[in-house]
Amino acid sequence: MLFSELPNEIIEQILLEIDPLTLARCRVVSKRLFELIDASVLLQISIEAGVDGLLVVGPHNRHLGHPSSSAQHLLDEIFCIREATVKFMPRSAWGIPYAAGNFHWEISDGIICFTSGGGDGERPKTLHFSELLAPTDENYNPFELDPTGRRYTHIIRDTGVGMADIVFSASSDLVVLLERRTAPDTGMNADRLHFRAISTGGPHPEATLPHVENTGHPLPPYSGLETWLIQLYGDMVAFLLVRYSNFIDRRGGVTVWNWKSGEVVMPFQKAVASMFLSEDQLLLVVNSDEDLLGKLHMVVYSISKGCITHRIRLPWSNLSCPTLYTYPRQSLTQLSLAQLAGNFAPDPSLDIFALDFWPVDPATGPCIVVFSTQRLLKACEAALVGQESYPVDLDWNTWGPQGSRWFPPYCLRPPSERSIHGARMIAYTHSNGFNVSNDIGDWKGMERATHNYPVILDFNPRPILRGVTDCDFDWCRNTVVRDTWKWTIQEGDQDVVIESSLPFRALVNKEEWAHSDLHLHSTAVVCTRAQSHDIFSFLEPAGRLTRVDTED
């Protein structure tokens, strides 16, 4: 049977398998496809969410069943989310109080997970899960279940583990708990990662081992400061531990396990920062010379190849105090437990990550560089063609200027741990009149300034290709940046000129915010104050919309 002979219902199901950008292009193939796509609520959902850099999550790759009032509501909600985000005007807000010191939290899959309990030297053992959707109950208590049932809430009363950190995947029913331990016989670290099912609180049924122990970490006992980070990507979980005694002297490393099999898939690798580029590749920031602290560079480690495959040559040699920022990936085929907020996942083809560092001299100030993840992965793939030995050098000029955007010292306050989600990053800037294009393009050096004006930087190119322009609203100013920026840093006796041209939109809020940190999700901003997390959502409160039936 020819494609032209297929009924519209079958063609619609085929088109639902296509990525949003290709689907939009199908409108110009024929009159029949143009009319079918414009008449289908489901296909319009895919296109309009895709314009905003989002995918609508469903068990069969975004199949949403037949058009219905709930599907139309979801399409309407996409337009409302877009307007609220562009104008930087949340549609609802609520808060979660906490006690400093023993409070840990994470956001993923449209859900915020946080701890409670502990105190007097004890770590918390209770976990709360709450959908990023404003409650409607007047007697709302963030530490109890939502009595209305209109938003997902869940509590694990006693994990039996004093938690030092958490990470989770609601679509995999998985929460990973970090238990800080020291081996009594050696005094070395023996930290444990516990794999629990969110639904039961017990060991995850797909995990062969209930926990793994980080005994392969060769760092000796240390009296200075230390930081740690758990990262989850599909079946892989990574644990990074870094110790430092001053601004530059940092030593650390990362180990990766397959949480289902319990096997170590990447033995301990020295690194002071790390992140997943894909389920197979990790980006590591490493010391280039153990005796020359502060001389750092980036490498890519391949789990399948079992070695470092790439050395990334950056346009400068010093890379002090680096931090990598990314976000927990959400499954695109399995539903989140969230009733509405989990419907929206970032399109991974648009992902960005950020590097926060001090370029040469601590007096210079912190810089932020935003990278396109896909541009880096494509450059890595191209560099391996014809290569039989590793690692290979990745030339910056083959991908960096087109795949990055540089922000000079004190232009933005360095982002917080979860300031990136998909193609967007949230940070603070120094003025509500900050004109992104002019101020950075003409940058000659910026003094340290108070940063209290939030800005969302959107590196999704689709609205720009659609023709979006600069605009000024009551609460927000939008600026589109396409120009190539050039600025110079000094290394020794040489001036290094850095170019970057990754396009983006800056949504600058005109009002000062009093929060210490800003964290981003597809449909919400989570803000930290001294005793609470304030959540500003671009969704309507719970009960206004029902979840779309995603079964065929």
Side-chain angles (χ1 to χ4, degrees):
M1 178 180 290
L2 298 175
F3 181 82
S4 59
E5 297 174 343
L6 293 174
N8 285 349
E9 292 78 8
I10 299 299
I11 295 178
E12 182 184 47
Q13 295 302 314
I14 294 172
L15 293 176
L16 281 169
E17 297 286 351
I18 299 175
D19 68 89
L21 195 58
T22 303
L23 177 58
R25 290 170 177 163
C26 287
R27 297 173 75 251
V28 300
V29 171
S30 68
K31 180 180 179 181
R32 183 187 180 192
L33 285 183
F34 175 86
E35 293 176 346
L36 190 153
I37 293 172
D38 276 18
S40 170
V41 177
L42 303 181
L43 296 177
Q44 289 300 309
I45 287 173
S46 181
I47 291 174
E48 295 302 332
V51 168
D52 295 331
L54 303 175
L55 297 175
V56 178
V57 182
H60 304 296
N61 195 23
R62 307 186 310 278
H63 282 195
L64 297 173
H66 296 289
S68 64
S69 59
S70 58
Q72 182 61 54
H73 286 163
L74 183 58
L75 180 59
D76 294 341
E77 187 67 8
I78 290 171
F79 288 119
C80 290
I81 294 171
R82 178 184 302 166
E83 181 180 11
T85 304
V86 167
K87 293 183 177 180
F88 220 134
M89 293 185 63
R91 298 158 69 194
S92 56
W94 68 106
I96 299 174
Y98 69 91
N102 282 311
F103 186 87
H104 309 291
W105 66 284
E106 180 65 279
I107 51 176
S108 181
D109 296 19
I111 293 171
I112 181 169
C113 172
F114 56 94
T115 62
S116 68
D120 296 328
E122 293 187 2
R123 296 190 183 275
K125 296 183 178 181
T126 301
L127 274 177
H128 305 262
F129 298 85
S130 181
E131 184 170 357
L132 290 171
L133 198 61
T136 55
D137 182 37
E138 294 181 357
N139 299 316
Y140 160 70
N141 183 342
F143 299 101
E144 297 297 334
L145 298 176
D146 188 335
T148 68
R150 294 172 178 169
R151 50 197 292 275
Y152 172 77
T153 54
H154 181 66
I155 302 174
I156 302 176
R157 299 287 180 184
D158 186 2
T159 62
V161 174
M163 295 172 285
D165 205 355
I166 55 174
V167 68
F168 73 100
S169 169
S171 53
S172 298
D173 192 32
L174 171 70
V175 59
V176 182
L177 316 178
L178 171 62
E179 180 186 10
R180 299 304 314 276
R181 300 174 70 252
T182 301
D185 51 343
T186 65
M188 300 288 286
N189 280 98
D191 300 312
R192 283 182 179 175
L193 298 178
H194 297 261
F195 309 125
R196 300 293 181 85
I198 296 174
S199 55
T200 65
H204 197 288
E206 295 185 52
T208 303
L209 302 174
H211 63 262
V212 294
E213 200 162 280
N214 193 32
T215 54
H217 208 301
L219 293 179
Y222 195 63
S223 59
L225 299 175
E226 64 180 8
T227 60
W228 56 84
L229 179 66
I230 318 170
Q231 296 171 310
L232 186 63
Y233 197 118
D235 295 344
M236 304 300 164
V237 59
F239 178 59
L240 171 73
L241 180 64
V242 179
R243 290 170 171 165
Y244 53 98
S245 58
N246 57 48
F247 188 79
I248 294 178
D249 184 4
R250 298 189 180 200
R251 309 295 176 95
V254 60
T255 304
V256 181
W257 296 263
N258 182 306
W259 68 265
K260 290 184 177 179
S261 67
E263 297 175 335
V264 175
V265 294
M266 189 186 83
F268 174 85
Q269 294 287 318
K270 290 182 180 180
V272 294
S274 70
M275 59 163 279
F276 283 102
L277 290 171
S278 67
E279 198 165 3
D280 179 62
Q281 294 170 295
L282 281 90
L283 182 66
L284 310 177
V285 179
V286 300
N287 281 330
S288 55
D289 188 335
E290 283 294 318
D291 297 322
L292 192 60
L293 298 176
K295 295 286 187 178
L296 305 172
H297 63 277
M298 297 196 296
V299 300
V300 176
Y301 185 98
S302 169
I303 293 175
S304 60
K305 292 181 172 59
C307 65
I308 292 174
T309 55
H310 299 81
R311 287 190 298 258
I312 301 176
R313 297 301 185 186
L314 300 172
W316 73 98
S317 59
N318 280 9
L319 190 66
S320 298
C321 305
T323 304
L324 289 168
Y325 298 96
T326 181
Y327 72 101
R329 298 311 195 277
Q330 181 173 347
S331 171
L332 300 180
T333 57
Q334 294 177 289
L335 287 173
S336 167
L337 299 170
Q339 297 188 36
L340 180 63
N343 271 329
F344 306 99
D347 186 338
S349 69
L350 303 173
D351 277 356
I352 60 169
F353 67 93
L355 174 67
D356 167 26
F357 70 102
W358 297 69
V360 182
D361 184 345
T364 304
C367 299
I368 295 173
V369 190
V370 176
F371 298 93
S372 164
T373 304
Q374 289 303 310
R375 283 186 181 268
L376 175 56
L377 287 173
K378 289 179 180 178
C380 288
E381 183 180 359
L384 291 180
V385 175
Q387 298 292 329
E388 297 181 357
S389 60
Y390 309 110
V392 300
D393 289 335
L394 190 61
D395 184 4
W396 169 259
N397 292 323
T398 63
W399 72 281
Q402 296 77 34
S404 69
R405 182 62 72 172
W406 298 69
F407 295 89
Y410 299 118
C411 170
L412 302 172
R413 184 198 290 183
S416 53
E417 182 179 346
R418 286 290 174 256
S419 61
I420 282 179
H421 201 70
R424 294 173 180 168
M425 181 179 82
I426 192 167
Y428 273 123
T429 186
H430 61 88
S431 169
N432 64 355
F434 180 41
N435 185 308
V436 178
S437 183
N438 292 335
D439 284 7
I440 295 184
D442 298 332
W443 183 81
K444 297 293 189 298
M446 188 176 294
E447 296 181 357
R448 188 188 303 264
T450 301
H451 293 63
N452 291 320
Y453 297 94
V455 54
I456 293 178
L457 305 174
D458 188 357
F459 290 86
N460 169 18
R462 294 169 185 170
I464 298 176
L465 293 173
R466 239 190 189 192
V468 67
T469 59
D470 296 358
C471 51
D472 201 338
F473 303 104
D474 291 340
W475 298 96
C476 178
R477 174 178 292 106
N478 293 1
T479 303
V480 179
V481 179
R482 303 181 181 87
D483 302 336
T484 297
W485 290 346
K486 296 182 181 181
W487 57 282
T488 304
I489 62 174
Q490 187 174 10
E491 291 224 322
D493 297 330
Q494 294 183 338
D495 287 341
V496 178
V497 179
I498 299 174
E499 295 186 5
S500 63
S501 58
L502 192 66
F504 70 98
R505 288 187 302 161
L507 317 178
V508 185
N509 195 287
K510 297 180 181 180
E511 296 292 323
E512 289 191 83
W513 287 18
H515 301 87
S516 58
D517 293 306
L518 305 176
H519 316 270
L520 191 63
H521 185 265
S522 297
T523 60
V525 177
V526 181
C527 309
T528 303
R529 289 199 292 182
Q531 296 294 324
S532 73
H533 284 301
D534 295 336
I535 303 173
F536 300 100
S537 175
F538 300 121
L539 294 169
E540 286 285 348
R544 303 284 182 86
L545 289 171
T546 58
R547 177 167 191 150
V548 174
D549 182 5
T550 55
E551 297 291 348
D552 280 338

